Amino acid sequence: MTITDCRDLAVSNADNALVSALENAHEMFLTYSGDPLGEITEVLDAEPDFVMGQIFKAALLTQAMETRIYPELVSTLKTAEALAPRANERERRHIEAIRAWADGDFHGAVDLWDALLVQFPRDLLALQLAHLSDVLLGDTDNQRDRVARILHAWDESVPGYGYVLGLYAFGLEENRDFDIAEECGRRAVAMNPKDAYAIHAVGHVMESQGRQSGGINWMRSREQDWAYSNFANHLWWHLSLYHLDLAQNDQVLDIYDRCLRSTDSSGDRYEELDAAALLWRLELLGVDVGDRWKTLADKWEPSATDTLYAFNDVHAMMTFVADGRWEVAEQVLNAHERYTTAANDANAAMTRTVGQPFCKALKAFAEEQYGEAVDILLPIRYRTRYLGGSHAQRDIIGMTLLEAALRGGRNDLALALASERTALKPTSPMNWRFAARAHRGRGDHTRATEAEAQAIALHG
């Protein structure tokens, strides 16, 4: 008898109890709750020949993007590969995709998951992995279109449809299809209030549109649904962005200290990314963050030369230069040089294109070599999506460029960049404050006063 999961996909070498356990662990992965890795590991300890269980565990480990996790990923993948003769076609395709990922061929892995989805459009794990990989790789078109390609096979009668809508909502938002994105995100949350990713997608819409008060209300009204999830750290970061735009810096620092300032040594890179990204924004805006950099830099330093993922590297560099760890910063740059000379994988390309230049610019900025920072960042500003992450996350590059132009006296450029920001998000007080400073730097005090008044009006 063929055993199938809740979406009628065949599962090899399993019984109904194993499939149920797998689905429970996957539900945790989808909702960023519990310990899906621990759950599936416990299952595999008892049933090591469970093919899809080994695949799921390896798939979870691909998303860590940390050197310390890599050996476990490879070990689990080898176990899955050894079980491949017992696997069905869909499962073998998963194994092939994870092997490509482990070998550094991220784009090849995504292509394999995409081909799998053409034949098995209800494979929610393949869709989730491909979508999250699109985010890691900065493939904004496929963040939307990859989900759209499988919608024909889904409706409310298919378990997990709400999660599909949540993924689609984020992809739509990243392509500035804000109205449809918000509609899909809210539908997903209505179907499952604990869907942290869908809550996050709606939050992205409001941040992108400059709806600060609405964003604060949205996040606070859903706080009990996400605050205890494994995604909470990132959602606290999103909440802090609304307050940052409104210059409510005391509230930003309060969120940092209560929710982002981890003092343990778990080495959770996702937590550290959000913390570094928030502190650097505060630094750019001239806010004194006290001794907060030191703890964060201490956590990043052991992995300073990992070069596993460029997005991690730039956030590590923020902590090193902000805390005056110049030798460590040089180690990062030297590691980049060695890596990009020797390697030709997906991350090497991401590092060459954006990661390495941005790290150099961060160091120049911290050394008050603002002109150098501008000269490095200006040519890559339309390539920054190749760093991965979201528009909201990558905006830190544009903010660094603009602030470097202001501090370096490049006021005509600063005004042009500030004008671009106010046109894109005219309801952002922060953008109007940037514009006011640029006008003042050019000696146009009347326009500076007008821009400041606009910022005050929006803040009010």
Side-chain angles (χ1 to χ4, degrees), residues 85-273:
R86 307 184 189 186
N88 60 39
E89 179 185 358
R90 179 179 69 92
E91 293 162 341
R92 288 193 295 271
R93 288 189 179 191
H94 267 293
I95 294 170
E96 188 180 359
I98 296 169
R99 168 51 65 187
W101 184 276
D103 290 343
D105 185 6
F106 302 154
H107 295 284
V110 172
D111 289 343
L112 288 164
W113 277 314
D114 196 62
L116 186 161
L117 285 163
V118 169
Q119 187 171 352
F120 303 98
R122 289 186 178 179
D123 190 323
L124 186 53
L125 178 63
L127 179 65
Q128 184 183 17
L129 293 169
H131 175 83
L132 294 176
S133 300
D134 288 334
V135 177
L136 288 170
L137 294 168
D139 186 348
T140 52
D141 289 337
N142 271 311
Q143 288 164 30
R144 175 194 61 202
D145 296 344
R146 199 180 309 283
V147 185
R149 287 197 287 274
I150 57 85
L151 288 176
H152 64 89
W154 290 80
D155 57 36
E156 291 188 9
S157 69
V158 182
Y161 179 54
Y163 300 123
V164 173
L165 288 177
L167 298 176
Y168 194 39
F170 181 79
L172 288 162
E173 181 279 327
E174 288 295 283
N175 286 276
R176 302 190 64 79
D177 296 329
F178 296 133
D179 291 345
I180 306 174
E182 186 167 354
E183 178 185 348
C184 286
R186 287 181 180 273
R187 280 185 66 196
V189 174
M191 294 174 72
N192 182 359
K194 300 293 185 182
D195 187 346
Y197 198 79
I199 293 170
H200 152 264
V202 175
H204 263 276
V205 170
M206 295 183 176
E207 195 279 331
S208 294
Q209 291 184 313
R211 293 159 57 190
Q212 298 85 4
S213 296
I216 292 168
N217 290 336
W218 168 254
M219 299 300 289
R220 288 296 187 186
S221 70
R222 314 262 15 145
E223 188 174 333
Q224 292 304 308
D225 295 321
W226 61 259
Y228 304 102
S229 74
N230 299 329
F231 209 37
N233 202 82
H234 189 60
L235 292 175
W236 284 118
W237 177 80
H238 269 284
L239 178 59
S240 73
L241 293 188
Y242 305 122
H243 290 296
L244 191 70
D245 203 345
L246 297 172
Q248 295 170 345
N249 298 326
D250 288 345
Q251 294 188 57
V252 175
L253 289 170
D254 180 63
I255 290 173
Y256 183 91
D257 289 335
R258 288 188 301 105
C259 308
L260 296 182
R261 194 177 189 179
S262 173
T263 57
D264 64 33
S265 56
S266 65
D268 189 328
R269 286 288 169 260
Y270 289 112
E271 291 185 2
E272 293 159 14
L273 288 168

Side-chain angles (χ1 to χ4, degrees), residues 412-426:
D412 288 342
L413 174 62
L415 181 58
L417 295 170
S419 180
E420 183 180 78
R421 294 179 71 89
T422 56
L424 189 65
K425 196 193 295 188

